Amino acid sequence: MGSLDLNFTDSSLSQTDVFKPLDHEDFRKQAHQMVDFIADYYAKIESYPVLTQVQPNYLRSRLPSTAPYLPEPLQTIFHDISAHVIPGITHWLSPNFFAFFPATVSTAAFLGEMLCTCFNAVGFNWLASPAATELEMVVMDWLAHMLKLPASFMFSSGTAGGGGGGVIQNTTGEAIFVTLVAARDRKLEALGTNDVKKLVVYSSDQTHSTFTKASRLAGICPSNVRSIPTSRDSEFALSPELLRKVVGADVESGLVPLYLCLTVGTTSTTAVDPLEPLAGVANDYNMWVHVDAAYGGSACICPEFRHYLNGVERVDSLSLSPHKWLLSYLDCCCLWVKRSDLLVNALSTNPEYLRNQPSESDSVVDYKDWQLGTGRRFKSLRLWLVLRSYGVANIQSHIRSDVRMARMFEGFVKSDLRFEVVVPRKFALVCFRLKSFYRAEPSYVDSLNRKLLEWVNSTGRAYMSHTVVGGVYMLRFAVGATLTEERHVVAAWQLIKDGADAVLKVKGV
Amino acid sequence: MGSLDLNFTDSSLSQTDVFKPLDHEDFRKQAHQMVDFIADYYAKIESYPVLTQVQPNYLRSRLPSTAPYLPEPLQTIFHDISAHVIPGITHWLSPNFFAFFPATVSTAAFLGEMLCTCFNAVGFNWLASPAATELEMVVMDWLAHMLKLPASFMFSSGTAGGGGGGVIQNTTGEAIFVTLVAARDRKLEALGTNDVKKLVVYSSDQTHSTFTKASRLAGICPSNVRSIPTSRDSEFALSPELLRKVVGADVESGLVPLYLCLTVGTTSTTAVDPLEPLAGVANDYNMWVHVDAAYGGSACICPEFRHYLNGVERVDSLSLSPHKWLLSYLDCCCLWVKRSDLLVNALSTNPEYLRNQPSESDSVVDYKDWQLGTGRRFKSLRLWLVLRSYGVANIQSHIRSDVRMARMFEGFVKSDLRFEVVVPRKFALVCFRLKSFYRAEPSYVDSLNRKLLEWVNSTGRAYMSHTVVGGVYMLRFAVGATLTEERHVVAAWQLIKDGADAVLKVKGV
């Protein structure tokens, strides 16, 4: 690689003066090479250790400390990807990935992403690329229909300017943050103050940590962020009675309830907060209610799961991440709101250099006013290609297939007396553990389960994660990586059993 | 297209029960088709009207209101992209795009983006994909070297945990927001209060609107967001003397200066705030200083432009968007900070389900604690491929070529007595207008320029934008779209002259 000397002048660059970084024939040739590289990676993905075994700084120590001054051939770069990058990747697309929630993908979404990149349409407002804005509106309505959301969340309900509709955010964190800020600004305006100190936000102790973070960012006092305890009895769902009690106490102390974040499918155990009664409490106190359905929401496109959204007509906003379970690659978080005018009030800007006739006529949506940043990509292409290439039928079938495999795994766990399922399975995640036994200290059982997890993950043949809920350490087996088939679940269970043998034997149990 | 009926059950799906959304041979075949589709689009991009001429709701009225139930063939989708999507796209990659700031691209970045999509590595923390975190650290240091940033902004300076380093954000809005929140929380902690009402933030009236927005989001009182006037005399740069005066008055009123946002290359006219003296004022008042070098920063990889960053050693953070001028596609905003511990204090989360040994040992960077959301893509691959495939030499040459073409255009403007350059050109943007003339009302001259812009843009043969600065309406001709060559600039100038003929003739001048 060349050394870095930035002080060359034009005259020393004669070899580069016909630099054409987007020659379409070079593009064609090299992009075809990349397609083959990627297809080959997908073909052999099963052969890689799922969880990488590299040590901190492994890559930094292998790469030069400055950029090359002169070009390097693509073949050298391909070589370095294979030799240095891939060994340090945790293969999220491996069929043996069962950790966290899998991030699902598909050929159609890949094609959509290529097209999004291709156009590089910077859709900050309608005029900057009408197709980008309008396709997003169409696709968000499509998904809303698939979820049987009320018309009040759709553009097609026809309330022009300020009514319901959807927008693609990058992550759930942003979806929660922008709605929280919209709620905050509406409440402060109603109170006629700039003082956020009295505002209180609510969620359960199972809500994703991104909610506490978003609250801090929005300036909510840390002491006003309520994390209401849940218990195993209610399968870790938030209790409406408890919520009412906590909110009531706050109101009596002179505080102002602002925002309630509910979850359909919590990260630890896929608990589902009962929307209907909880939104009822929130409505009584005039709070904004948001539903984080990042994972569980996708299942609700199947009629047999739709009941988890019962009561959604009473909430203000809902987010769902197709990058989790709708085959869409990162990053894609769909957010629907009933009152987009409140988002726009909190998030709009109107600099002279972006002024244009369609925006001023209020006849169009300018998505920059629905999100934190200004620039935005043409992400709806990805969802559009997924929905059209596969149809709702196949996507429902994909959800059901994952659930079926998880049910199978649950059966395996139940059939082995050394194990227990800790929380009843709702979707495609099984929370299980090596059972406690006569006279065993809870901490000892926890440590056995920790050992088992380490044993399994260190083989590189499967990757699971863990959580601690209600004081119980448990293993999480999440089925859903796009390439996972029954045989992978069967093999993973065999591996886990082997791990249990090893761990329990060493421990002399 | 199929109609939407979500109430089918498993048994009706026999045709879809071998649904394999990531079969590697299907992937190979279809991705090759997409490469050819995109290469063909690039080959004929010049033939499309740059600014689309569609009307609001054009696309929504052409597409079905619900997703198809059954799959549709890829060829149908390709057809719809050509027939319905492309006509509604404003072609940001067209060589005749001179509006806003062009969003530059390259084959290498496209390949990097394909690879990023391919791995779908969700790098929220180091362990989730060590290569994703470490390559980002390497590339951010590479770019810092290219910009000759002080070592205090680099990981290689070796201050493990909490020292300097860089991170890729999505947009400048997020870069400003996260640093503002870090500054806010540090200041509130120092003051021992939760009360943000006394905190004041500063920028010039030329600063991007995203700064005001970020301030509102972070809970800064709107009345405490100072937008300090600039003038044509100082080429619309912020005056250190005026800043000192404004800050001094705030301090006398009992307010607390928090954050100063400076710009290297403002959006309207590419004005450059003088970092050294302005940071000096801010340092006296213990403010956080951020430099938004979204556009202008890229030029500073060339020695002849580096002086615009003089004084950067006195600031706390700097952001630069390679998607603007470093051939990188959206969205990619590089943010460097001196004290990452302050970002982490404001942005960290530590849920049980993400706990792991490397993170707890503090030996690694967990980028989720440097940004708003949790999930994040492997974006550094794009920059890595750009820097390696082209080398610093070619990228410098690309910057210089754009500047040369802008200089040429500036010469054209100066050679035509009907026109004037309104603000001296610094980079590759020329701000110009039809001159005022004897007895003409300023508003009349503005309207002529407005007509000229409409005339040019409506031809579809070039696309420019406008701004109003210091009360003057002006046209912005920004050279830099990746495919732009001298012949396009020459043709655009001829078109503008024709437009002037038409506009001035109609107006009877």
Side-chain angles (χ1 to χ4, degrees):
Chain A
M1 299 179 187
S3 70
L4 183 76
D5 180 347
L6 305 176
N7 295 316
F8 278 66
T9 57
D10 271 19
S11 60
S12 58
L13 293 175
S14 54
Q15 79 276 30
T16 60
D17 59 4
V18 289
F19 179 48
K20 291 194 170 178
L22 193 67
D23 176 89
H24 58 87
E25 287 311 321
D26 285 349
F27 172 91
R28 193 187 303 269
K29 189 177 146 206
Q30 297 190 1
H32 279 310
Q33 289 179 317
M34 184 57 87
V35 167
D36 285 326
F37 184 89
I38 293 172
D40 292 346
Y41 167 75
Y42 286 159
K44 65 188 172 207
I45 193 167
E46 223 168 313
S47 68
Y48 296 111
V50 194
L51 176 64
T52 174
Q53 309 293 330
V54 298
Q55 295 302 308
N57 288 316
Y58 92 96
L59 184 61
R60 293 177 65 202
S61 65
R62 295 190 199 181
L63 298 182
S65 59
T66 55
Y69 184 69
L70 293 175
E72 298 183 83
L74 189 55
Q75 289 318 315
T76 311
I77 298 173
F78 275 131
H79 168 268
D80 287 354
I81 293 163
S82 299
H84 303 307
V85 174
I86 290 182
I89 284 189
T90 295
H91 299 277
W92 282 70
L93 269 55
S94 165
N96 299 312
F97 185 100
F98 303 102
F100 312 113
F101 290 122
T104 59
V105 305
S106 60
T107 297
F110 195 99
L111 301 186
E113 178 64 18
M114 286 173 77
L115 212 49
C116 164
T117 308
C118 157
F119 294 129
N120 207 38
V122 186
F124 41 71
N125 57 20
W126 181 86
L127 188 62
S129 239
T133 296
E134 296 201 16
L135 191 66
E136 188 160 332
M137 295 169 77
V138 167
V139 167
M140 290 301 292
D141 269 8
W142 282 12
L143 251 182
H145 276 291
M146 289 165 63
L147 294 164
K148 295 193 184 298
L149 294 187
S152 51
F153 286 103
M154 300 183 202
F155 292 107
S156 56
S157 71
T159 322
V167 57
I168 301 178
Q169 306 278 334
N170 296 308
T171 61
T172 300
E174 284 159 72
I176 291 178
F177 179 71
V178 296
T179 51
L180 181 54
V181 166
R184 178 195 72 185
D185 288 2
R186 172 177 68 167
K187 187 65 85 181
L188 292 178
E189 200 183 325
L191 297 174
T193 170
N194 277 321
D195 193 356
V196 297
K197 280 189 297 184
K198 293 196 160 186
L199 305 181
V200 191
V201 299
Y202 304 84
S203 74
S204 91
D205 61 2
Q206 295 304 306
T207 305
H208 195 283
S209 56
T210 205
F211 174 63
T212 305
K213 179 166 169 175
S215 302
R216 275 157 52 195
L217 296 178
I220 305 299
C221 293
S223 57
N224 287 353
V225 179
R226 304 269 172 273
S227 174
I228 301 173
T230 57
S231 69
R232 201 162 163 177
D233 299 340
S234 62
E235 293 179 18
F236 304 106
L238 179 58
S239 147
E241 295 71 33
L242 197 50
L243 173 68
R244 188 176 292 279
K245 211 167 126 187
V246 174
V247 176
D250 282 335
V251 170
E252 276 193 22
S253 327
L255 296 172
V256 179
L258 173 67
Y259 188 101
L260 171 65
C261 184
L262 302 179
T263 311
V264 173
T266 59
T267 309
S268 277
T269 66
T270 66
V272 175
D273 294 328
L275 305 191
E276 182 104 47
L278 288 164
V281 176
N283 292 167
D284 289 346
Y285 289 97
N286 206 14
M287 272 189 265
W288 184 296
V289 185
H290 179 78
V291 177
D292 168 7
Y295 169 73
S298 296
C300 301
I301 65 166
C302 301
E304 65 271 30
F305 288 105
R306 174 57 178 74
H307 65 94
Y308 289 126
L309 290 183
N310 286 352
V312 69
E313 59 283 355
R314 304 183 73 169
V315 313
D316 299 279
S317 51
L318 171 97
S319 57
L320 179 162
S321 297
H323 61 236
K324 283 207 159 63
W325 211 357
L326 292 182
L327 307 171
S328 301
Y329 287 97
L330 281 184
D331 39 9
C332 178
C333 172
C334 293
L335 168 69
W336 291 270
V337 294
K338 268 186 191 159
R339 287 198 47 194
S340 61
D341 61 321
L342 297 174
L343 274 190
V344 172
N345 283 351
L347 300 165
S348 69
T349 55
N350 190 21
E352 177 63 39
Y353 45 81
L354 295 185
R355 286 180 71 173
N356 66 85
Q357 197 274 325
S359 294
E360 315 237 317
S361 72
D362 255 350
S363 59
V364 295
V365 164
D366 289 338
Y367 271 130
K368 74 177 172 49
D369 298 338
W370 295 49
Q371 66 174 18
L372 199 160
T374 306
R376 64 198 318 273
R377 305 173 71 228
F378 194 168
K379 285 193 192 175
S380 57
L381 283 167
R382 225 151 56 189
L383 284 174
W384 192 54
L385 261 81
V386 167
L387 296 176
R388 295 192 64 189
S389 299
Y390 304 135
V392 175
N394 275 306
I395 302 169
Q396 289 178 329
S397 145
H398 155 74
I399 298 271
R400 288 171 176 141
S401 155
D402 289 346
V403 172
R404 210 156 33 222
M405 286 191 279
R407 195 184 301 135
M408 182 181 77
F409 182 85
E410 185 187 34
F412 294 156
V413 173
K414 286 180 174 168
S415 71
D416 187 321
L417 293 174
R418 298 172 300 176
F419 289 92
E420 63 176 336
V421 172
V422 191
V423 187
R425 183 193 50 76
K426 282 202 166 56
F427 302 101
L429 169 72
V430 180
C431 294
F432 73 108
R433 70 194 314 249
L434 285 166
K435 246 192 273 206
S436 185
F437 48 86
Y438 183 61
R439 282 198 185 167
E441 290 286 330
S443 66
Y444 179 68
V445 180
D446 286 358
S447 78
L448 286 181
N449 277 287
R450 213 171 260 122
K451 293 270 172 210
L452 172 59
L453 183 65
E454 277 164 25
W455 190 95
V456 169
N457 289 347
S458 70
T459 65
R461 288 161 52 204
Y463 180 31
M464 296 188 296
S465 55
H466 80 285
T467 192
V468 175
V469 176
V472 178
Y473 182 96
M474 60 189 86
L475 307 180
R476 295 174 74 269
F477 189 87
V479 179
T482 306
L483 295 168
T484 302
E485 299 170 16
E486 275 191 21
R487 64 188 171 92
H488 301 106
V489 175
V490 170
W493 173 245
Q494 185 57 53
L495 184 69
I496 292 164
K497 283 197 298 182
D498 292 349
D501 291 345
V503 164
L504 295 172
K505 187 172 170 192
V506 169
K507 291 285 170 179
V509 177
Chain B
M1 297 177 186
S3 69
L4 184 76
D5 181 347
L6 305 175
N7 296 316
F8 279 65
T9 57
D10 272 20
S11 60
S12 58
L13 292 176
S14 55
Q15 78 278 28
T16 60
D17 59 6
V18 289
F19 179 47
K20 291 194 171 179
L22 193 68
D23 177 89
H24 58 87
E25 286 313 320
D26 286 347
F27 172 90
R28 193 187 304 269
K29 190 178 144 206
Q30 297 190 2
H32 279 309
Q33 290 178 320
M34 184 57 87
V35 166
D36 285 327
F37 184 89
I38 293 172
D40 292 347
Y41 167 75
Y42 286 159
K44 65 188 172 210
I45 193 166
E46 219 168 321
S47 67
Y48 296 111
V50 195
L51 176 63
T52 174
Q53 310 292 329
V54 298
Q55 294 303 308
N57 287 316
Y58 93 97
L59 183 61
R60 292 177 65 202
S61 65
R62 295 191 199 182
L63 297 183
S65 59
T66 54
Y69 184 69
L70 293 175
E72 297 183 81
L74 189 55
Q75 289 318 316
T76 311
I77 298 173
F78 275 131
H79 169 269
D80 287 354
I81 292 163
S82 299
H84 304 307
V85 174
I86 289 181
I89 284 189
T90 296
H91 299 277
W92 282 71
L93 269 54
S94 165
N96 298 312
F97 185 100
F98 303 103
F100 311 112
F101 290 123
T104 59
V105 305
S106 59
T107 298
F110 196 99
L111 302 186
E113 177 63 18
M114 287 173 76
L115 211 49
C116 165
T117 308
C118 156
F119 294 130
N120 206 38
V122 187
F124 42 72
N125 58 21
W126 179 86
L127 188 62
S129 240
T133 296
E134 295 202 14
L135 190 66
E136 188 161 331
M137 296 170 76
V138 166
V139 167
M140 290 300 293
D141 270 7
W142 281 11
L143 251 181
H145 276 291
M146 288 165 63
L147 294 163
K148 295 194 185 299
L149 294 186
S152 51
F153 286 104
M154 300 184 202
F155 292 107
S156 57
S157 69
T159 322
V167 58
I168 300 178
Q169 307 277 333
N170 296 308
T171 61
T172 300
E174 284 159 73
I176 291 177
F177 179 71
V178 297
T179 51
L180 181 54
V181 166
R184 178 196 73 185
D185 289 2
R186 172 177 68 169
K187 186 66 82 179
L188 292 178
E189 200 183 325
L191 297 174
T193 171
N194 277 322
D195 193 356
V196 297
K197 280 190 295 186
K198 294 197 160 186
L199 304 181
V200 191
V201 300
Y202 304 85
S203 73
S204 91
D205 60 3
Q206 295 304 306
T207 305
H208 195 282
S209 56
T210 205
F211 175 62
T212 306
K213 179 166 169 174
S215 301
R216 276 156 52 193
L217 296 178
I220 305 298
C221 293
S223 57
N224 286 354
V225 179
R226 304 269 172 272
S227 176
I228 301 173
T230 57
S231 69
R232 202 163 165 176
D233 300 340
S234 62
E235 294 179 17
F236 304 106
L238 179 59
S239 145
E241 295 71 32
L242 197 50
L243 174 69
R244 188 176 292 280
K245 211 167 124 188
V246 174
V247 176
D250 283 334
V251 170
E252 275 192 22
S253 327
L255 296 172
V256 179
L258 174 66
Y259 188 98
L260 170 66
C261 184
L262 303 178
T263 310
V264 173
T266 60
T267 309
S268 277
T269 65
T270 67
V272 175
D273 294 327
L275 306 190
E276 182 106 47
L278 288 163
V281 176
N283 293 166
D284 289 347
Y285 289 96
N286 205 16
M287 271 189 267
W288 184 294
V289 185
H290 178 78
V291 177
D292 168 7
Y295 169 73
S298 295
C300 301
I301 65 166
C302 301
E304 66 271 30
F305 289 105
R306 174 56 179 76
H307 64 96
Y308 289 127
L309 290 183
N310 285 352
V312 69
E313 60 283 355
R314 301 182 74 169
V315 314
D316 299 280
S317 52
L318 171 98
S319 57
L320 177 162
S321 296
H323 61 236
K324 283 208 158 61
W325 212 358
L326 292 182
L327 306 171
S328 301
Y329 288 95
L330 279 184
D331 40 8
C332 178
C333 171
C334 293
L335 168 69
W336 291 269
V337 294
K338 268 185 189 161
R339 286 197 48 193
S340 61
D341 61 322
L342 297 175
L343 274 190
V344 172
N345 282 351
L347 300 165
S348 69
T349 55
N350 190 21
E352 177 63 38
Y353 45 80
L354 295 185
R355 287 180 70 174
N356 66 84
Q357 196 274 324
S359 294
E360 314 238 316
S361 72
D362 256 350
S363 58
V364 294
V365 164
D366 288 339
Y367 271 130
K368 75 176 172 53
D369 298 338
W370 295 48
Q371 67 175 17
L372 199 160
T374 305
R376 65 199 318 273
R377 305 173 72 227
F378 195 168
K379 286 194 192 172
S380 58
L381 282 166
R382 226 152 54 190
L383 284 174
W384 192 53
L385 260 80
V386 167
L387 296 175
R388 295 191 63 189
S389 298
Y390 304 134
V392 176
N394 275 306
I395 301 169
Q396 288 178 329
S397 147
H398 156 73
I399 297 272
R400 287 171 176 141
S401 155
D402 289 346
V403 172
R404 207 155 38 220
M405 286 190 279
R407 195 185 300 136
M408 182 181 77
F409 182 84
E410 185 187 33
F412 294 156
V413 173
K414 287 182 175 167
S415 71
D416 187 320
L417 293 175
R418 299 171 299 174
F419 288 94
E420 64 176 336
V421 172
V422 191
V423 187
R425 184 193 51 75
K426 283 202 164 59
F427 301 101
L429 169 72
V430 181
C431 294
F432 72 109
R433 66 189 321 244
L434 285 165
K435 247 192 273 205
S436 186
F437 46 88
Y438 182 61
R439 282 199 186 166
E441 289 287 330
S443 67
Y444 179 67
V445 180
D446 285 358
S447 79
L448 286 181
N449 278 287
R450 213 172 261 124
K451 293 271 174 210
L452 173 58
L453 182 66
E454 276 164 24
W455 190 96
V456 168
N457 289 349
S458 69
T459 64
R461 288 160 55 205
Y463 181 29
M464 297 190 296
S465 55
H466 79 284
T467 193
V468 176
V469 175
V472 178
Y473 183 96
M474 60 189 88
L475 308 179
R476 296 173 73 268
F477 189 89
V479 179
T482 306
L483 295 168
T484 302
E485 300 170 18
E486 274 190 19
R487 64 188 173 91
H488 301 105
V489 176
V490 170
W493 173 245
Q494 184 57 53
L495 184 69
I496 292 165
K497 281 197 300 182
D498 292 348
D501 290 345
V503 164
L504 295 173
K505 188 173 170 191
V506 167
K507 290 286 169 181
V509 178

